[in-house]
Amino acid sequence: MSGKAGSSTSKALAIIEPEAPAEPEAEVEPRFTKQTIGVVAGAVGVLALCLLTTAMVTSGKATQTVTRSCTGPQMNVAAAPQAAKVLRKILDDAGCKQIEVKATEADQVLSPMALGDDLPDVWIPDSSRWLDRISPAEEPVTLRSSMASSPVVLVSGDGLIRRSYAEAFADDDLLVGDPQRMMSALGTVIAGEANPANAAKLKSYADRIASDEDGSAPTDSGRLAELRTVASGVTATSEQQWSSYAPMLKASAPKEGTVVLDYPVILTANSSRRNTLASSITNFARVLDSDAADETLTKAGFRTSGAGKPSPNVGAFTEVDPATVKKTAAEWSQRLRPTRGIAAIDVSGSMAFPSGDGVTTRLQLTQAAAAEAIKDLPATAAIGLWAFSEETEGKLGGDHAALVPTRSLGTKGQRDLLSKEIAGLTARTGGGTALHDTTLAAYEAAVASYDPLASNTVLLFTDGTNEDADSMDLAELVRRLKAASDPHRPVRVIGVGITADADMGALRTIAEATGGAAYVAERPEDVGSVLHEAIGRR
């Protein structure tokens, strides 16, 4: 393949050769192809098809200049931060005043896309791999597979060229980005996993990133700034970021292969809005298909099919098998995915019984483990707290009570509020166990507040069996859990049995119905480790 945008290969690795001086071309293939026009026709209707066909196909050639007026209804474009500024310039130069571009991180689009909430009309992320992270509520349409491209390169701060990831991992000052937030970090992860000797270093990075420590995974530009400041270290970043912000540093394409950022153009407007936007979509496509756009993008550090490579650039490169990139991205997304959960704690009378040590109660053991978890979980975790006991003899005013709403632990006061309410559970103890009604209510609440970028769970702590005579039986609970489930909003119930008195058969049945798991802490010293394992389950 070539190092240009929009190209592809069926081989696992494709070697990129330096390009010869460009020869005058008789014809230039339109980047918005006939196939793309067909896709857009289905997406935005017959009017858009007519407009797009007229704009894109002129005597079999791509539009070479942007000379027409750019009119149409207001349209919003969300673009990767590194592409937003140059895209604004391209549209301003073309007179497309009705098209507004906003620098947007991928998760700001992925979450509403999964939930069916308000979206920008068009999205240009740095990588098509982001779409693998979610199941969209409405399928977006790819207008163009690649607006521009940029290979990930190794950049050194000490003046030495690192030509491989093996050399980079040998450096004590290797700086790694977060592969959950930065596709440029995936190459480092892929190369690291290929060599077992790098496993310890990768685990250390993963643990630090998952902990959300300050500065644990700075942006590409942040890492480049650090290399310039300390004049040492090595990092992987896009060629565009290096070419634009740190061209004085040494850079090279890793010989093991690299990830290529492809900047797809994706129509995310809902189906009812697409026809309304037809003329703006057409003009936007025409502008991006112009030589002027390619030249502007290349000057900004991107590779394009019309204007070639930026200056400086790393020359030829080898692209990692896209299937490997997809697989690794999915694995690390799962590994680093933050926790979002409702902790529902049994406060029935039996939770005041002594535990196996004869000193602490079952509730005190649960409180201690929960408080420790709240202290240790990263700020990215979102936790809420419920308590439950049977209504007639309990002290909650019902079978269950939502004591703390589910919010990020980074929210001001959330950890303190959780700690306070966990400590206050002792005063709420009494009555029987309202296990079934509480499980369903907590599950429905978790589905309703689902976060598509997190691991969504209900953590159910109990030492007994359902004792609510007015509630549904276990078979009915399972039926209603399945009815309440949503394949686009998967939520798992994790059951934690406190002592051997817990009804593990019921907890396992509930967990299996939701794709979860059930654990038992038979001894007092097991509660903490069982909770840690349950929270860590993905």
Side-chain angles (χ1 to χ4, degrees):
M1 66 175 272
S2 73
K4 296 179 180 180
S7 56
S8 62
T9 179
S10 60
K11 299 179 181 180
L13 292 174
I15 304 298
I16 311 302
E17 299 296 342
E19 295 178 277
E23 295 289 335
E25 297 179 346
E27 291 188 354
V28 179
E29 183 68 20
R31 282 154 285 168
F32 284 83
T33 64
K34 292 179 180 179
Q35 289 82 3
T36 302
I37 292 171
V39 170
V40 176
V44 301
V46 177
L47 172 61
L49 171 62
C50 297
L51 290 168
L52 194 64
T53 303
T54 301
M56 292 295 98
V57 183
T58 307
S59 302
K61 298 181 181 181
T63 307
Q64 295 298 301
T65 57
V66 181
T67 57
R68 307 174 191 177
S69 62
C70 183
T71 59
Q74 183 74 27
M75 189 170 86
N76 301 308
V77 177
Q82 63 269 37
K85 183 177 180 181
V86 64
L87 189 58
R88 288 191 198 102
K89 175 172 173 50
I90 290 169
L91 293 169
D92 286 347
D93 290 347
C96 299
K97 304 299 183 185
Q98 84 280 17
I99 303 177
E100 181 181 354
V101 178
K102 182 179 180 180
T104 309
E105 298 292 350
D107 59 358
Q108 294 176 277
V109 177
L110 290 175
S111 186
M113 184 181 289
L115 298 176
D117 293 340
D118 290 340
L119 286 167
D121 298 315
V122 174
W123 181 34
I124 305 179
D126 61 357
S127 173
S128 52
R129 292 275 68 86
W130 288 114
L131 287 171
D132 298 332
R133 299 277 175 94
I134 62 162
S135 296
E138 182 174 355
E139 285 297 326
V141 175
T142 299
L143 296 178
R144 182 168 169 182
S145 61
S146 180
M147 175 185 74
S149 68
S150 188
V152 174
V153 301
L154 293 172
V155 184
S156 305
D158 58 7
L160 301 176
I161 297 178
R162 271 70 170 187
R163 302 188 184 278
S164 70
Y165 278 110
E167 294 178 35
F169 269 95
D171 196 302
D172 291 335
D173 295 324
L174 172 63
L175 302 178
V176 181
D178 179 356
Q180 174 111 332
R181 298 187 179 103
M182 308 167 208
M183 286 295 171
S184 60
L186 274 178
T188 309
V189 172
I190 292 169
E193 289 185 338
N195 185 349
N198 298 324
K201 184 170 282 192
L202 271 184
K203 184 179 186 305
S204 174
Y205 289 130
D207 290 345
R208 192 167 71 246
I209 291 167
S211 72
D212 199 44
E213 293 177 10
D214 290 341
S216 60
T219 62
D220 285 359
S221 58
R223 297 196 306 280
L224 288 173
E226 183 172 346
L227 295 186
R228 291 178 60 182
T229 300
V230 302
S232 67
V234 60
T235 194
T237 183
S238 71
E239 180 185 64
Q240 185 272 333
Q241 291 282 283
W242 162 70
S243 179
S244 299
Y245 298 109
M248 72 294 298
L249 300 179
K250 298 293 185 181
S252 176
K255 67 181 183 182
E256 300 97 333
T258 192
V259 173
V260 179
L261 307 183
D262 54 0
Y263 296 90
V265 183
I266 302 168
L267 180 62
T268 47
N270 63 45
S271 53
S272 64
R273 180 163 166 74
R274 291 172 186 173
N275 258 337
T276 303
L277 294 171
S279 57
S280 285
I281 292 172
T282 301
N283 281 315
F284 183 60
R286 174 175 57 81
V287 169
L288 288 186
D289 204 49
S290 67
D291 288 345
D294 277 354
E295 290 167 4
T296 302
L297 284 163
T298 301
K299 286 179 182 177
F302 296 94
R303 297 189 180 210
T304 63
S305 59
K309 302 185 186 79
S311 179
N313 65 77
V314 298
F317 62 84
T318 300
E319 183 175 4
V320 174
D321 175 15
T324 300
V325 177
K326 181 176 181 178
K327 177 176 178 290
T328 305
E331 289 173 349
W332 276 71
S333 173
Q334 191 71 5
R335 183 174 181 177
L336 298 176
R337 192 175 288 253
T339 294
R340 179 180 179 84
I342 295 173
I345 299 179
D346 184 353
V347 291
S348 62
S350 61
M351 287 291 282
F353 291 176
S355 62
D357 64 5
V359 178
T360 53
T361 67
R362 297 171 178 182
L363 180 59
Q364 286 171 336
L365 289 175
T366 306
Q367 288 170 304
E372 188 69 18
I374 294 302
K375 184 178 69 174
D376 292 342
L377 282 168
T380 53
I383 302 296
L385 178 66
W386 286 30
F388 66 96
S389 64
E390 198 270 323
E391 179 178 11
T392 57
E393 296 181 27
K395 302 177 182 179
L396 301 174
D399 286 337
H400 50 264
L403 304 179
V404 181
T406 306
R407 291 183 296 227
S408 165
L409 294 181
T411 303
K412 184 177 180 181
Q414 182 72 353
R415 286 187 202 267
D416 290 341
L417 182 57
L418 283 165
S419 297
K420 176 184 175 182
E421 290 294 343
I422 289 170
L425 291 176
T426 304
R428 299 178 183 273
T429 305
T433 304
L435 182 62
H436 294 175
D437 285 353
T438 300
T439 299
L440 180 61
Y443 183 80
E444 290 175 337
V447 170
S449 63
Y450 177 78
D451 180 352
L453 301 181
S455 176
N456 293 258
T457 60
V458 173
L459 289 163
L460 200 61
F461 300 84
T462 183
D463 70 337
T465 190
N466 184 63
E467 297 172 326
D468 186 353
D470 295 329
S471 72
M472 69 198 89
D473 62 17
L474 184 60
E476 177 66 7
L477 170 61
V478 169
R479 188 192 69 77
R480 292 180 66 175
L481 285 172
K482 291 180 177 180
S485 67
D486 182 340
H488 293 291
R489 297 178 172 227
V491 173
R492 296 168 300 117
V493 176
I494 307 295
V496 180
I498 307 299
T499 77
D501 289 343
D503 187 348
M504 294 308 299
L507 289 180
R508 290 190 186 97
T509 299
I510 291 167
E512 289 170 2
T514 62
Y519 303 85
V520 60
E522 294 186 356
R523 301 175 302 171
E525 59 268 29
D526 293 339
V527 177
S529 59
V530 164
L531 177 56
H532 179 78
E533 184 177 354
I535 291 175
R537 183 180 174 87
R538 289 289 185 268

